Amino acid sequence: MRNPVKGIQETSARYKTLDAKDRRRFWADGILNNALYILMVVFVIITIGVNPKFWSWGALSTIITQVASYLPIALGIGGCIVLTGTDLSAGRVVGLTAAVSAILLQRADLSNRIMGALPELPAAAAIVLAILATMVVGGIVGFINGFFVAKFKLHPFIVTLATQLMTYSVILLVFMLGGNNGQPMNGLRPAYTTFVKGNMPVIGLPWYVLYAVVFIAVMWFIWNKTTFGKNMFAVGSNQEAASVSGVNVFKTIVMVHTLAGIMYGLNGFIEAARLSSVNQATGLNYECDAIAACVIGGVSFVGGTGKISGIVLGVFILRIIFVALQFLSIDQNLQFLIKGAIILFACSLDMRKYLAKK
């Protein structure tokens, strides 16, 4: 890991060698490259000035819990972006796996239980089964995405758009099972909801915040300490060069998308319990927030660039902005406009950095 103190010293030494014109350009580039972070700090200060309650444990805990609930999908989709792709199916996979979790973990005494013939397993066994089922379902969709991208050289945008539509169709069919007729799934077992959103001792945050920390650690290890992670960045930087170097490009692309699908599945497992009710719209547009968070966090669409810490930071920035908008009583309908502007601005900065390097 690069020593930050040494980096600052090197930057300072280089700055001293610049003339007046280059120094002005140095500061202008620095401000522009970090514009999102600077604007966020200004925005937070303004929000606290308008509504001091934003500077409270209540607001911070809200931000942390929202970050934890949106983080798994961002960690998954980040790998797809490293490969110069994306994944439009992510949100629908979260919705489908949330429905799978709800089906497996509805109370046995529920009159409108979808799988009425399904025996009620012990709570621990049922939770483990639901986790495995969501990972398998998400992994299957991810595998399909990766297979078509790698085998037929199709653009991930087209492939994941197709699987998004197919996944949504499956969701609609699932909600019609057992005479449910499209009604929301609720009546989840208390052990399940407690396992996910019960409060941890002392700090009082829900358990899924801890699970998010575990996901961060696992994904950081995969990205930075495994051959798979190195291959992923190599393929994202240059597929042809990676192939010549002995990297199995097909296998790497399939594994990245499969891993992404598994993360979406885990997100769906958490989301069902967090919401306590799953409907056909669960997961809708989640991929938009995830993509925006990744780009804000420095995962470049030009490929081969990205850090887990950057994704976490990007999710934090995005949730801080959206929570702040609520404290400022901004019309909720305007939030989509703001999301779009953030994505456009972040992508523009990302491309500017890429062109500057060239």
Side-chain angles (χ1 to χ4, degrees), residues 40 44 47 53-71 205 208-209 312-313 315-327:
M40 188 207 66
V44 168
T47 304
K53 290 183 179 180
F54 187 66
W55 187 255
S56 66
W57 170 247
L60 179 60
S61 62
T62 298
I63 292 169
I64 292 173
T65 53
Q66 288 195 15
V67 167
S69 63
Y70 284 94
L71 190 58
L205 293 172
Y208 65 82
V209 173
V312 176
L313 178 61
V315 176
F316 257 106
I317 290 175
L318 211 56
R319 299 332 300 179
I320 287 172
I321 292 172
F322 295 150
V323 172
L325 291 174
Q326 296 174 7
F327 275 81

Side-chain angles (χ1 to χ4, degrees), residues 40-277:
M40 188 207 66
V41 172
V42 173
F43 183 61
V44 168
I45 293 172
I46 293 173
T47 304
I48 295 173
V50 175
N51 190 341
K53 290 183 179 180
F54 187 66
W55 187 255
S56 66
W57 170 247
L60 179 60
S61 62
T62 298
I63 292 169
I64 292 173
T65 53
Q66 288 195 15
V67 167
S69 63
Y70 284 94
L71 190 58
I73 187 175
L75 292 173
I77 212 166
C80 301
I81 298 175
V82 168
L83 294 181
T84 69
T86 188
D87 192 342
L88 301 181
S89 68
R92 289 305 187 185
V93 176
V94 170
L96 176 60
T97 52
V100 170
S101 297
I103 289 172
L104 294 175
L105 290 164
Q106 280 186 311
R107 298 196 318 268
D109 61 349
L110 203 65
S111 59
N112 60 340
R113 189 184 184 206
I114 291 182
M115 300 293 286
L118 189 70
E120 186 175 45
L121 299 173
I127 289 172
V128 171
L129 176 62
I131 292 173
L132 294 176
T134 54
M135 291 174 67
V136 169
V137 171
I140 289 173
V141 179
F143 176 85
I144 293 171
N145 287 336
F147 178 82
F148 278 91
V149 170
K151 182 68 175 178
F152 300 105
K153 309 299 181 184
L154 299 176
H155 196 285
F157 182 94
I158 298 300
V159 174
T160 58
L161 175 61
T163 52
Q164 178 199 67
L165 297 172
M166 291 187 288
T167 302
Y168 184 48
S169 180
V170 174
I171 290 172
L172 296 177
L173 292 173
V174 166
F175 272 83
M176 297 301 293
L177 294 174
N180 189 60
N181 294 324
Q183 297 301 310
M185 299 180 190
N186 44 39
L188 305 180
R189 297 175 66 169
Y192 171 38
T193 54
T194 300
F195 176 76
V196 173
K197 64 177 182 178
N199 290 334
M200 288 187 286
V202 184
I203 60 176
L205 293 172
W207 281 107
Y208 65 82
V209 173
L210 177 61
Y211 307 150
V213 174
V214 174
F215 296 153
I216 293 170
V218 171
M219 293 299 288
W220 180 89
F221 180 82
I222 292 174
W223 278 35
N224 296 281
K225 299 298 180 180
T226 66
T227 302
F228 163 69
K230 295 176 182 178
N231 291 344
M232 177 183 72
F233 284 103
V235 173
S237 297
N238 190 317
Q239 283 194 25
E240 293 182 2
S243 180
V244 171
S245 301
V247 176
N248 189 327
V249 175
F250 174 84
K251 181 180 177 181
T252 300
I253 293 174
V254 171
M255 286 179 64
V256 168
H257 282 274
T258 302
L259 178 61
I262 291 172
M263 293 305 298
Y264 308 155
L266 292 170
N267 208 146
F269 172 82
I270 290 173
E271 200 67 359
R274 188 180 75 88
L275 299 174
S276 297
S277 179

